[in-house]
Amino acid sequence: MFKIKSEIQFDTAHYLSGYKGKCSNIHGHRYRLIAKLKSETLHEDGQLRGMVDDFSNFKGALKEIEEIFDHKLVIENNDEGKALARKLEDLPNNFDIYFVNYRPTAEEMSRDIFNMLKAKGLSVCEVELFETPNNSCIYTED
Ligand SMILES: [Zn+2]
C-alpha cells in the first residue's frame, strides 16, 4: 500500500450555532489540513508512471480547498446562521460568509473536505484537520 500526503493551512472563523460556552463566540483558527491519498499499485505508464498521483495535481486540489475556506466566516445554513448573517450584512464591512449544511466543527469540516477531494477524483483515504496544534479530527472511510 502506498500513501502520499500533503498539507495546507488556512485562517478561518466559524460560528457554532446552539453551542453554549467559550466557543459560542465567533472565533477563528489557523486550520492545518493534512490529506492522504492511497493506492495499492503505482501507475504503470505515461506521465504518472511510478506515482500514486502527481503531487502538483494533489496540491492543486488542496489549493482549491484553501481558497474555499481561507479568511471566510463559516456559518451553518440554518435559521440561527441566517439570522446572524443578516445582522453582519447590515455592517459596513464586507463579511465573506461561507454557508455550510452542518455545524462547522472540525469533525464535520474534515468529512466535507474529504468528500470534496473524493469528488475531484482523488484517491483520498484520510483527512486530518487541526483546529489547534494539539487538537485535530481524522476522517477516514476505512
Ligand atoms: Zn473553534
Side-chain angles (χ1 to χ4, degrees):
M1 173 68 65
F2 297 95
K3 290 185 181 178
I4 61 173
K5 70 173 184 177
S6 190
E7 175 178 336
I8 53 166
Q9 296 190 15
F10 47 86
D11 298 299
T12 302
H14 67 165
Y15 175 72
L16 302 176
S17 63
Y19 185 87
K20 305 278 179 268
K22 197 172 153 191
C23 291
S24 62
N25 208 354
I26 294 173
H27 65 281
H29 297 281
R30 174 75 175 168
Y31 286 93
R32 180 172 168 231
L33 171 71
I34 298 172
K36 293 179 186 169
L37 309 185
K38 76 171 181 184
S39 181
E40 293 279 357
T41 58
L42 301 178
H43 286 274
E44 288 184 354
D45 41 41
Q47 174 79 351
L48 297 179
R49 187 161 60 90
M51 299 179 185
V52 171
D53 201 342
D54 194 331
F55 269 106
S56 66
N57 182 40
F58 187 14
K59 285 160 67 182
L62 291 178
K63 185 75 186 164
E64 288 172 21
I65 302 291
E66 181 185 322
E67 283 163 7
I68 289 170
F69 287 98
D70 192 45
H71 283 77
K72 302 286 173 55
L73 169 57
V74 182
I75 296 179
E76 186 174 1
N77 192 16
N78 61 4
D79 290 345
E80 188 179 337
K82 284 183 222 168
L84 173 62
R86 276 194 300 275
K87 287 186 194 306
L88 293 173
E89 282 160 4
D90 287 342
L91 298 171
N93 293 40
N94 252 336
F95 281 91
D96 204 345
I97 296 168
Y98 178 55
F99 284 104
V100 291
N101 292 319
Y102 53 79
R103 197 187 211 187
T105 59
E107 292 89 333
E108 292 279 17
M109 286 171 65
S110 62
R111 177 168 59 184
D112 189 23
I113 291 167
F114 184 102
N115 287 326
M116 286 183 203
L117 293 172
K118 199 172 171 180
K120 292 176 191 296
L122 296 176
S123 56
V124 58
C125 65
E126 184 181 303
V127 158
E128 182 168 15
L129 186 65
F130 288 81
E131 273 196 346
T132 71
N134 297 324
N135 301 333
S136 72
C137 174
I138 296 171
Y139 183 79
T140 171
E141 288 186 341
D142 291 341

PDB file of all heavy atoms in Angstrom, residues 13-18 23-27 73-91 93 95-99 104:
ATOM      1  N   ALA A  13     -12.734  31.698  10.341  1.00  0.00           N
ATOM      2  CA  ALA A  13     -13.579  31.912  11.517  1.00  0.00           C
ATOM      3  C   ALA A  13     -14.802  31.013  11.386  1.00  0.00           C
ATOM      4  O   ALA A  13     -15.236  30.696  10.275  1.00  0.00           O
ATOM      5  CB  ALA A  13     -14.004  33.372  11.593  1.00  0.00           C
ATOM      6  N   HIS A  14     -15.324  30.579  12.526  1.00  0.00           N
ATOM      7  CA  HIS A  14     -16.564  29.806  12.459  1.00  0.00           C
ATOM      8  C   HIS A  14     -17.490  30.180  13.602  1.00  0.00           C
ATOM      9  O   HIS A  14     -17.088  30.807  14.574  1.00  0.00           O
ATOM     10  CB  HIS A  14     -16.305  28.293  12.384  1.00  0.00           C
ATOM     11  CG  HIS A  14     -15.698  27.659  13.584  1.00  0.00           C
ATOM     12  ND1 HIS A  14     -15.680  26.298  13.780  1.00  0.00           N
ATOM     13  CD2 HIS A  14     -15.067  28.188  14.664  1.00  0.00           C
ATOM     14  CE1 HIS A  14     -15.071  26.015  14.914  1.00  0.00           C
ATOM     15  NE2 HIS A  14     -14.690  27.128  15.469  1.00  0.00           N
ATOM     16  N   TYR A  15     -18.744  29.826  13.410  1.00  0.00           N
ATOM     17  CA  TYR A  15     -19.773  30.070  14.409  1.00  0.00           C
ATOM     18  C   TYR A  15     -20.530  28.767  14.621  1.00  0.00           C
ATOM     19  O   TYR A  15     -21.034  28.174  13.655  1.00  0.00           O
ATOM     20  CB  TYR A  15     -20.728  31.177  13.935  1.00  0.00           C
ATOM     21  CG  TYR A  15     -21.870  31.389  14.887  1.00  0.00           C
ATOM     22  CD1 TYR A  15     -21.659  32.005  16.126  1.00  0.00           C
ATOM     23  CD2 TYR A  15     -23.151  30.945  14.582  1.00  0.00           C
ATOM     24  CE1 TYR A  15     -22.702  32.172  17.021  1.00  0.00           C
ATOM     25  CE2 TYR A  15     -24.201  31.109  15.475  1.00  0.00           C
ATOM     26  CZ  TYR A  15     -23.968  31.719  16.690  1.00  0.00           C
ATOM     27  OH  TYR A  15     -24.994  31.881  17.576  1.00  0.00           O
ATOM     28  N   LEU A  16     -20.573  28.336  15.888  1.00  0.00           N
ATOM     29  CA  LEU A  16     -21.235  27.061  16.213  1.00  0.00           C
ATOM     30  C   LEU A  16     -22.618  27.362  16.769  1.00  0.00           C
ATOM     31  O   LEU A  16     -22.760  27.695  17.952  1.00  0.00           O
ATOM     32  CB  LEU A  16     -20.401  26.281  17.231  1.00  0.00           C
ATOM     33  CG  LEU A  16     -18.960  25.961  16.808  1.00  0.00           C
ATOM     34  CD1 LEU A  16     -18.216  25.276  17.947  1.00  0.00           C
ATOM     35  CD2 LEU A  16     -18.933  25.093  15.560  1.00  0.00           C
ATOM     36  N   SER A  17     -23.623  27.264  15.940  1.00  0.00           N
ATOM     37  CA  SER A  17     -24.966  27.608  16.417  1.00  0.00           C
ATOM     38  C   SER A  17     -25.437  26.596  17.451  1.00  0.00           C
ATOM     39  O   SER A  17     -25.140  25.404  17.365  1.00  0.00           O
ATOM     40  CB  SER A  17     -25.953  27.724  15.252  1.00  0.00           C
ATOM     41  OG  SER A  17     -26.097  26.508  14.597  1.00  0.00           O
ATOM     42  N   GLY A  18     -26.122  27.131  18.459  1.00  0.00           N
ATOM     43  CA  GLY A  18     -26.663  26.282  19.513  1.00  0.00           C
ATOM     44  C   GLY A  18     -25.635  25.847  20.545  1.00  0.00           C
ATOM     45  O   GLY A  18     -25.949  25.054  21.421  1.00  0.00           O
ATOM     46  N   CYS A  23     -16.741  28.722  23.243  1.00  0.00           N
ATOM     47  CA  CYS A  23     -16.723  28.660  21.771  1.00  0.00           C
ATOM     48  C   CYS A  23     -18.032  29.121  21.144  1.00  0.00           C
ATOM     49  O   CYS A  23     -18.240  28.951  19.943  1.00  0.00           O
ATOM     50  CB  CYS A  23     -16.383  27.249  21.300  1.00  0.00           C
ATOM     51  SG  CYS A  23     -14.685  26.821  21.680  1.00  0.00           S
ATOM     52  N   SER A  24     -18.946  29.709  21.966  1.00  0.00           N
ATOM     53  CA  SER A  24     -20.193  30.206  21.383  1.00  0.00           C
ATOM     54  C   SER A  24     -19.946  31.518  20.646  1.00  0.00           C
ATOM     55  O   SER A  24     -20.776  31.939  19.836  1.00  0.00           O
ATOM     56  CB  SER A  24     -21.252  30.380  22.461  1.00  0.00           C
ATOM     57  OG  SER A  24     -20.823  31.345  23.397  1.00  0.00           O
ATOM     58  N   ASN A  25     -18.825  32.173  20.923  1.00  0.00           N
ATOM     59  CA  ASN A  25     -18.480  33.404  20.214  1.00  0.00           C
ATOM     60  C   ASN A  25     -18.003  33.078  18.797  1.00  0.00           C
ATOM     61  O   ASN A  25     -17.481  31.980  18.565  1.00  0.00           O
ATOM     62  CB  ASN A  25     -17.359  34.103  20.978  1.00  0.00           C
ATOM     63  CG  ASN A  25     -17.365  35.604  20.802  1.00  0.00           C
ATOM     64  OD1 ASN A  25     -18.145  36.150  20.016  1.00  0.00           O
ATOM     65  ND2 ASN A  25     -16.492  36.272  21.517  1.00  0.00           N
ATOM     66  N   ILE A  26     -18.137  34.027  17.870  1.00  0.00           N
ATOM     67  CA  ILE A  26     -17.474  33.863  16.577  1.00  0.00           C
ATOM     68  C   ILE A  26     -15.983  33.914  16.870  1.00  0.00           C
ATOM     69  O   ILE A  26     -15.511  34.818  17.556  1.00  0.00           O
ATOM     70  CB  ILE A  26     -17.851  35.018  15.610  1.00  0.00           C
ATOM     71  CG1 ILE A  26     -19.329  34.970  15.253  1.00  0.00           C
ATOM     72  CG2 ILE A  26     -16.994  34.944  14.349  1.00  0.00           C
ATOM     73  CD1 ILE A  26     -19.796  36.178  14.445  1.00  0.00           C
ATOM     74  N   HIS A  27     -15.264  32.934  16.399  1.00  0.00           N
ATOM     75  CA  HIS A  27     -13.816  32.917  16.652  1.00  0.00           C
ATOM     76  C   HIS A  27     -13.131  32.195  15.502  1.00  0.00           C
ATOM     77  O   HIS A  27     -13.786  31.551  14.684  1.00  0.00           O
ATOM     78  CB  HIS A  27     -13.511  32.242  18.000  1.00  0.00           C
ATOM     79  CG  HIS A  27     -13.864  30.798  18.018  1.00  0.00           C
ATOM     80  ND1 HIS A  27     -15.155  30.353  18.185  1.00  0.00           N
ATOM     81  CD2 HIS A  27     -13.105  29.699  17.838  1.00  0.00           C
ATOM     82  CE1 HIS A  27     -15.161  29.043  18.126  1.00  0.00           C
ATOM     83  NE2 HIS A  27     -13.934  28.615  17.903  1.00  0.00           N
ATOM     84  N   LEU A  73     -15.837  33.377   7.004  1.00  0.00           N
ATOM     85  CA  LEU A  73     -16.583  33.069   8.221  1.00  0.00           C
ATOM     86  C   LEU A  73     -17.533  31.937   7.848  1.00  0.00           C
ATOM     87  O   LEU A  73     -18.373  32.103   6.960  1.00  0.00           O
ATOM     88  CB  LEU A  73     -17.348  34.313   8.693  1.00  0.00           C
ATOM     89  CG  LEU A  73     -18.374  34.104   9.799  1.00  0.00           C
ATOM     90  CD1 LEU A  73     -17.742  33.475  11.043  1.00  0.00           C
ATOM     91  CD2 LEU A  73     -19.033  35.432  10.152  1.00  0.00           C
ATOM     92  N   VAL A  74     -17.369  30.791   8.491  1.00  0.00           N
ATOM     93  CA  VAL A  74     -18.178  29.620   8.151  1.00  0.00           C
ATOM     94  C   VAL A  74     -19.369  29.544   9.110  1.00  0.00           C
ATOM     95  O   VAL A  74     -19.196  29.517  10.338  1.00  0.00           O
ATOM     96  CB  VAL A  74     -17.338  28.318   8.220  1.00  0.00           C
ATOM     97  CG1 VAL A  74     -18.194  27.120   7.809  1.00  0.00           C
ATOM     98  CG2 VAL A  74     -16.128  28.421   7.308  1.00  0.00           C
ATOM     99  N   ILE A  75     -20.544  29.556   8.532  1.00  0.00           N
ATOM    100  CA  ILE A  75     -21.797  29.576   9.304  1.00  0.00           C
ATOM    101  C   ILE A  75     -22.718  28.477   8.775  1.00  0.00           C
ATOM    102  O   ILE A  75     -22.828  28.285   7.561  1.00  0.00           O
ATOM    103  CB  ILE A  75     -22.505  30.954   9.159  1.00  0.00           C
ATOM    104  CG1 ILE A  75     -21.639  32.069   9.764  1.00  0.00           C
ATOM    105  CG2 ILE A  75     -23.867  30.930   9.819  1.00  0.00           C
ATOM    106  CD1 ILE A  75     -22.265  33.451   9.624  1.00  0.00           C
ATOM    107  N   GLU A  76     -23.387  27.820   9.707  1.00  0.00           N
ATOM    108  CA  GLU A  76     -24.357  26.801   9.311  1.00  0.00           C
ATOM    109  C   GLU A  76     -25.569  27.459   8.656  1.00  0.00           C
ATOM    110  O   GLU A  76     -26.063  28.487   9.125  1.00  0.00           O
ATOM    111  CB  GLU A  76     -24.792  26.010  10.551  1.00  0.00           C
ATOM    112  CG  GLU A  76     -25.695  24.844  10.231  1.00  0.00           C
ATOM    113  CD  GLU A  76     -25.983  23.986  11.461  1.00  0.00           C
ATOM    114  OE1 GLU A  76     -25.489  24.325  12.563  1.00  0.00           O
ATOM    115  OE2 GLU A  76     -26.698  22.992  11.314  1.00  0.00           O
ATOM    116  N   ASN A  77     -26.028  26.854   7.589  1.00  0.00           N
ATOM    117  CA  ASN A  77     -27.155  27.400   6.841  1.00  0.00           C
ATOM    118  C   ASN A  77     -28.477  26.960   7.488  1.00  0.00           C
ATOM    119  O   ASN A  77     -29.252  26.220   6.902  1.00  0.00           O
ATOM    120  CB  ASN A  77     -27.050  26.937   5.380  1.00  0.00           C
ATOM    121  CG  ASN A  77     -28.010  27.685   4.478  1.00  0.00           C
ATOM    122  OD1 ASN A  77     -28.536  28.730   4.852  1.00  0.00           O
ATOM    123  ND2 ASN A  77     -28.243  27.137   3.302  1.00  0.00           N
ATOM    124  N   ASN A  78     -28.695  27.442   8.711  1.00  0.00           N
ATOM    125  CA  ASN A  78     -29.968  27.176   9.403  1.00  0.00           C
ATOM    126  C   ASN A  78     -30.552  28.525   9.849  1.00  0.00           C
ATOM    127  O   ASN A  78     -29.993  29.578   9.527  1.00  0.00           O
ATOM    128  CB  ASN A  78     -29.752  26.202  10.572  1.00  0.00           C
ATOM    129  CG  ASN A  78     -28.796  26.739  11.614  1.00  0.00           C
ATOM    130  OD1 ASN A  78     -28.333  27.890  11.528  1.00  0.00           O
ATOM    131  ND2 ASN A  78     -28.472  25.940  12.600  1.00  0.00           N
ATOM    132  N   ASP A  79     -31.667  28.502  10.572  1.00  0.00           N
ATOM    133  CA  ASP A  79     -32.324  29.768  10.946  1.00  0.00           C
ATOM    134  C   ASP A  79     -31.389  30.675  11.736  1.00  0.00           C
ATOM    135  O   ASP A  79     -31.318  31.878  11.479  1.00  0.00           O
ATOM    136  CB  ASP A  79     -33.596  29.485  11.771  1.00  0.00           C
ATOM    137  CG  ASP A  79     -34.698  28.875  10.914  1.00  0.00           C
ATOM    138  OD1 ASP A  79     -34.581  28.938   9.669  1.00  0.00           O
ATOM    139  OD2 ASP A  79     -35.664  28.329  11.492  1.00  0.00           O
ATOM    140  N   GLU A  80     -30.682  30.108  12.714  1.00  0.00           N
ATOM    141  CA  GLU A  80     -29.777  30.908  13.547  1.00  0.00           C
ATOM    142  C   GLU A  80     -28.637  31.481  12.704  1.00  0.00           C
ATOM    143  O   GLU A  80     -28.280  32.656  12.835  1.00  0.00           O
ATOM    144  CB  GLU A  80     -29.229  30.028  14.683  1.00  0.00           C
ATOM    145  CG  GLU A  80     -28.437  30.811  15.708  1.00  0.00           C
ATOM    146  CD  GLU A  80     -27.915  29.920  16.847  1.00  0.00           C
ATOM    147  OE1 GLU A  80     -28.482  28.840  17.091  1.00  0.00           O
ATOM    148  OE2 GLU A  80     -26.923  30.322  17.470  1.00  0.00           O
ATOM    149  N   GLY A  81     -28.065  30.651  11.852  1.00  0.00           N
ATOM    150  CA  GLY A  81     -26.967  31.096  10.995  1.00  0.00           C
ATOM    151  C   GLY A  81     -27.398  32.198  10.042  1.00  0.00           C
ATOM    152  O   GLY A  81     -26.695  33.196   9.849  1.00  0.00           O
ATOM    153  N   LYS A  82     -28.597  32.029   9.465  1.00  0.00           N
ATOM    154  CA  LYS A  82     -29.095  33.049   8.524  1.00  0.00           C
ATOM    155  C   LYS A  82     -29.385  34.361   9.249  1.00  0.00           C
ATOM    156  O   LYS A  82     -29.134  35.441   8.708  1.00  0.00           O
ATOM    157  CB  LYS A  82     -30.353  32.539   7.818  1.00  0.00           C
ATOM    158  CG  LYS A  82     -30.046  31.518   6.732  1.00  0.00           C
ATOM    159  CD  LYS A  82     -31.337  31.118   6.015  1.00  0.00           C
ATOM    160  CE  LYS A  82     -31.372  29.644   5.764  1.00  0.00           C
ATOM    161  NZ  LYS A  82     -32.617  29.094   5.339  1.00  0.00           N
ATOM    162  N   ALA A  83     -29.895  34.275  10.504  1.00  0.00           N
ATOM    163  CA  ALA A  83     -30.170  35.480  11.288  1.00  0.00           C
ATOM    164  C   ALA A  83     -28.862  36.212  11.593  1.00  0.00           C
ATOM    165  O   ALA A  83     -28.788  37.449  11.505  1.00  0.00           O
ATOM    166  CB  ALA A  83     -30.898  35.110  12.585  1.00  0.00           C
ATOM    167  N   LEU A  84     -27.830  35.473  11.938  1.00  0.00           N
ATOM    168  CA  LEU A  84     -26.513  36.075  12.203  1.00  0.00           C
ATOM    169  C   LEU A  84     -25.980  36.754  10.934  1.00  0.00           C
ATOM    170  O   LEU A  84     -25.509  37.888  10.978  1.00  0.00           O
ATOM    171  CB  LEU A  84     -25.527  34.993  12.687  1.00  0.00           C
ATOM    172  CG  LEU A  84     -24.079  35.449  12.839  1.00  0.00           C
ATOM    173  CD1 LEU A  84     -23.936  36.553  13.881  1.00  0.00           C
ATOM    174  CD2 LEU A  84     -23.193  34.256  13.193  1.00  0.00           C
ATOM    175  N   ALA A  85     -26.073  36.063   9.818  1.00  0.00           N
ATOM    176  CA  ALA A  85     -25.564  36.608   8.550  1.00  0.00           C
ATOM    177  C   ALA A  85     -26.288  37.908   8.199  1.00  0.00           C
ATOM    178  O   ALA A  85     -25.660  38.864   7.746  1.00  0.00           O
ATOM    179  CB  ALA A  85     -25.721  35.576   7.440  1.00  0.00           C
ATOM    180  N   ARG A  86     -27.608  37.950   8.436  1.00  0.00           N
ATOM    181  CA  ARG A  86     -28.370  39.177   8.132  1.00  0.00           C
ATOM    182  C   ARG A  86     -27.864  40.353   8.965  1.00  0.00           C
ATOM    183  O   ARG A  86     -27.723  41.463   8.467  1.00  0.00           O
ATOM    184  CB  ARG A  86     -29.862  38.953   8.381  1.00  0.00           C
ATOM    185  CG  ARG A  86     -30.574  38.310   7.189  1.00  0.00           C
ATOM    186  CD  ARG A  86     -32.102  38.418   7.318  1.00  0.00           C
ATOM    187  NE  ARG A  86     -32.624  37.767   8.505  1.00  0.00           N
ATOM    188  CZ  ARG A  86     -32.916  36.450   8.573  1.00  0.00           C
ATOM    189  NH1 ARG A  86     -32.759  35.680   7.506  1.00  0.00           N
ATOM    190  NH2 ARG A  86     -33.392  35.926   9.676  1.00  0.00           N
ATOM    191  N   LYS A  87     -27.563  40.102  10.263  1.00  0.00           N
ATOM    192  CA  LYS A  87     -27.043  41.177  11.127  1.00  0.00           C
ATOM    193  C   LYS A  87     -25.673  41.642  10.632  1.00  0.00           C
ATOM    194  O   LYS A  87     -25.392  42.838  10.614  1.00  0.00           O
ATOM    195  CB  LYS A  87     -26.938  40.691  12.570  1.00  0.00           C
ATOM    196  CG  LYS A  87     -28.287  40.548  13.257  1.00  0.00           C
ATOM    197  CD  LYS A  87     -28.111  40.212  14.721  1.00  0.00           C
ATOM    198  CE  LYS A  87     -29.373  39.732  15.399  1.00  0.00           C
ATOM    199  NZ  LYS A  87     -30.530  40.603  15.285  1.00  0.00           N
ATOM    200  N   LEU A  88     -24.818  40.714  10.246  1.00  0.00           N
ATOM    201  CA  LEU A  88     -23.478  41.075   9.778  1.00  0.00           C
ATOM    202  C   LEU A  88     -23.549  41.847   8.467  1.00  0.00           C
ATOM    203  O   LEU A  88     -22.750  42.757   8.230  1.00  0.00           O
ATOM    204  CB  LEU A  88     -22.611  39.819   9.601  1.00  0.00           C
ATOM    205  CG  LEU A  88     -22.258  39.068  10.897  1.00  0.00           C
ATOM    206  CD1 LEU A  88     -21.547  37.768  10.576  1.00  0.00           C
ATOM    207  CD2 LEU A  88     -21.412  39.934  11.811  1.00  0.00           C
ATOM    208  N   GLU A  89     -24.513  41.494   7.638  1.00  0.00           N
ATOM    209  CA  GLU A  89     -24.645  42.177   6.341  1.00  0.00           C
ATOM    210  C   GLU A  89     -25.074  43.635   6.503  1.00  0.00           C
ATOM    211  O   GLU A  89     -24.883  44.433   5.587  1.00  0.00           O
ATOM    212  CB  GLU A  89     -25.626  41.401   5.442  1.00  0.00           C
ATOM    213  CG  GLU A  89     -24.962  40.173   4.831  1.00  0.00           C
ATOM    214  CD  GLU A  89     -25.967  39.115   4.351  1.00  0.00           C
ATOM    215  OE1 GLU A  89     -27.190  39.361   4.425  1.00  0.00           O
ATOM    216  OE2 GLU A  89     -25.498  38.046   3.926  1.00  0.00           O
ATOM    217  N   ASP A  90     -25.631  43.988   7.696  1.00  0.00           N
ATOM    218  CA  ASP A  90     -26.004  45.393   7.963  1.00  0.00           C
ATOM    219  C   ASP A  90     -24.781  46.253   8.274  1.00  0.00           C
ATOM    220  O   ASP A  90     -24.870  47.472   8.267  1.00  0.00           O
ATOM    221  CB  ASP A  90     -26.966  45.469   9.170  1.00  0.00           C
ATOM    222  CG  ASP A  90     -28.353  44.948   8.798  1.00  0.00           C
ATOM    223  OD1 ASP A  90     -28.640  44.878   7.588  1.00  0.00           O
ATOM    224  OD2 ASP A  90     -29.113  44.617   9.722  1.00  0.00           O
ATOM    225  N   LEU A  91     -23.664  45.630   8.584  1.00  0.00           N
ATOM    226  CA  LEU A  91     -22.450  46.372   8.950  1.00  0.00           C
ATOM    227  C   LEU A  91     -21.689  46.785   7.681  1.00  0.00           C
ATOM    228  O   LEU A  91     -21.849  46.166   6.627  1.00  0.00           O
ATOM    229  CB  LEU A  91     -21.561  45.497   9.836  1.00  0.00           C
ATOM    230  CG  LEU A  91     -22.194  45.073  11.173  1.00  0.00           C
ATOM    231  CD1 LEU A  91     -21.324  44.044  11.871  1.00  0.00           C
ATOM    232  CD2 LEU A  91     -22.406  46.282  12.075  1.00  0.00           C
ATOM    233  N   ASN A  93     -18.562  46.474   6.923  1.00  0.00           N
ATOM    234  CA  ASN A  93     -17.567  45.500   6.432  1.00  0.00           C
ATOM    235  C   ASN A  93     -18.226  44.548   5.441  1.00  0.00           C
ATOM    236  O   ASN A  93     -19.402  44.237   5.573  1.00  0.00           O
ATOM    237  CB  ASN A  93     -17.036  44.633   7.587  1.00  0.00           C
ATOM    238  CG  ASN A  93     -16.226  45.415   8.573  1.00  0.00           C
ATOM    239  OD1 ASN A  93     -16.569  46.540   8.891  1.00  0.00           O
ATOM    240  ND2 ASN A  93     -15.156  44.830   9.046  1.00  0.00           N
ATOM    241  N   PHE A  95     -18.534  41.146   4.946  1.00  0.00           N
ATOM    242  CA  PHE A  95     -18.259  39.836   5.524  1.00  0.00           C
ATOM    243  C   PHE A  95     -18.333  38.776   4.437  1.00  0.00           C
ATOM    244  O   PHE A  95     -19.288  38.739   3.663  1.00  0.00           O
ATOM    245  CB  PHE A  95     -19.253  39.522   6.651  1.00  0.00           C
ATOM    246  CG  PHE A  95     -18.903  40.213   7.923  1.00  0.00           C
ATOM    247  CD1 PHE A  95     -19.414  41.456   8.223  1.00  0.00           C
ATOM    248  CD2 PHE A  95     -18.009  39.626   8.812  1.00  0.00           C
ATOM    249  CE1 PHE A  95     -19.064  42.113   9.388  1.00  0.00           C
ATOM    250  CE2 PHE A  95     -17.655  40.274   9.990  1.00  0.00           C
ATOM    251  CZ  PHE A  95     -18.179  41.530  10.274  1.00  0.00           C
ATOM    252  N   ASP A  96     -17.282  37.962   4.388  1.00  0.00           N
ATOM    253  CA  ASP A  96     -17.240  36.893   3.394  1.00  0.00           C
ATOM    254  C   ASP A  96     -17.677  35.607   4.102  1.00  0.00           C
ATOM    255  O   ASP A  96     -16.904  34.989   4.829  1.00  0.00           O
ATOM    256  CB  ASP A  96     -15.817  36.773   2.839  1.00  0.00           C
ATOM    257  CG  ASP A  96     -15.808  36.151   1.463  1.00  0.00           C
ATOM    258  OD1 ASP A  96     -16.844  35.566   1.070  1.00  0.00           O
ATOM    259  OD2 ASP A  96     -14.771  36.233   0.790  1.00  0.00           O
ATOM    260  N   ILE A  97     -18.940  35.265   3.926  1.00  0.00           N
ATOM    261  CA  ILE A  97     -19.530  34.136   4.646  1.00  0.00           C
ATOM    262  C   ILE A  97     -19.596  32.919   3.741  1.00  0.00           C
ATOM    263  O   ILE A  97     -20.002  33.015   2.585  1.00  0.00           O
ATOM    264  CB  ILE A  97     -20.950  34.506   5.154  1.00  0.00           C
ATOM    265  CG1 ILE A  97     -20.842  35.657   6.170  1.00  0.00           C
ATOM    266  CG2 ILE A  97     -21.632  33.284   5.773  1.00  0.00           C
ATOM    267  CD1 ILE A  97     -22.168  36.284   6.523  1.00  0.00           C
ATOM    268  N   TYR A  98     -19.185  31.791   4.297  1.00  0.00           N
ATOM    269  CA  TYR A  98     -19.321  30.521   3.585  1.00  0.00           C
ATOM    270  C   TYR A  98     -20.354  29.685   4.353  1.00  0.00           C
ATOM    271  O   TYR A  98     -20.102  29.265   5.482  1.00  0.00           O
ATOM    272  CB  TYR A  98     -17.962  29.819   3.500  1.00  0.00           C
ATOM    273  CG  TYR A  98     -18.000  28.467   2.815  1.00  0.00           C
ATOM    274  CD1 TYR A  98     -18.521  28.323   1.536  1.00  0.00           C
ATOM    275  CD2 TYR A  98     -17.512  27.329   3.443  1.00  0.00           C
ATOM    276  CE1 TYR A  98     -18.568  27.092   0.902  1.00  0.00           C
ATOM    277  CE2 TYR A  98     -17.544  26.086   2.826  1.00  0.00           C
ATOM    278  CZ  TYR A  98     -18.073  25.978   1.559  1.00  0.00           C
ATOM    279  OH  TYR A  98     -18.118  24.753   0.941  1.00  0.00           O
ATOM    280  N   PHE A  99     -21.528  29.512   3.755  1.00  0.00           N
ATOM    281  CA  PHE A  99     -22.583  28.737   4.407  1.00  0.00           C
ATOM    282  C   PHE A  99     -22.372  27.245   4.171  1.00  0.00           C
ATOM    283  O   PHE A  99     -22.047  26.829   3.049  1.00  0.00           O
ATOM    284  CB  PHE A  99     -23.961  29.120   3.838  1.00  0.00           C
ATOM    285  CG  PHE A  99     -24.481  30.427   4.337  1.00  0.00           C
ATOM    286  CD1 PHE A  99     -24.442  31.552   3.534  1.00  0.00           C
ATOM    287  CD2 PHE A  99     -25.016  30.530   5.612  1.00  0.00           C
ATOM    288  CE1 PHE A  99     -24.931  32.767   3.990  1.00  0.00           C
ATOM    289  CE2 PHE A  99     -25.507  31.743   6.080  1.00  0.00           C
ATOM    290  CZ  PHE A  99     -25.466  32.862   5.261  1.00  0.00           C
ATOM    291  N   PRO A 104     -20.215  23.781  11.802  1.00  0.00           N
ATOM    292  CA  PRO A 104     -18.823  23.712  11.326  1.00  0.00           C
ATOM    293  C   PRO A 104     -17.797  23.358  12.411  1.00  0.00           C
ATOM    294  O   PRO A 104     -16.929  24.156  12.777  1.00  0.00           O
ATOM    295  CB  PRO A 104     -18.586  25.109  10.739  1.00  0.00           C
ATOM    296  CG  PRO A 104     -19.537  25.997  11.454  1.00  0.00           C
ATOM    297  CD  PRO A 104     -20.737  25.161  11.815  1.00  0.00           C
TER     298      PRO A 104
END
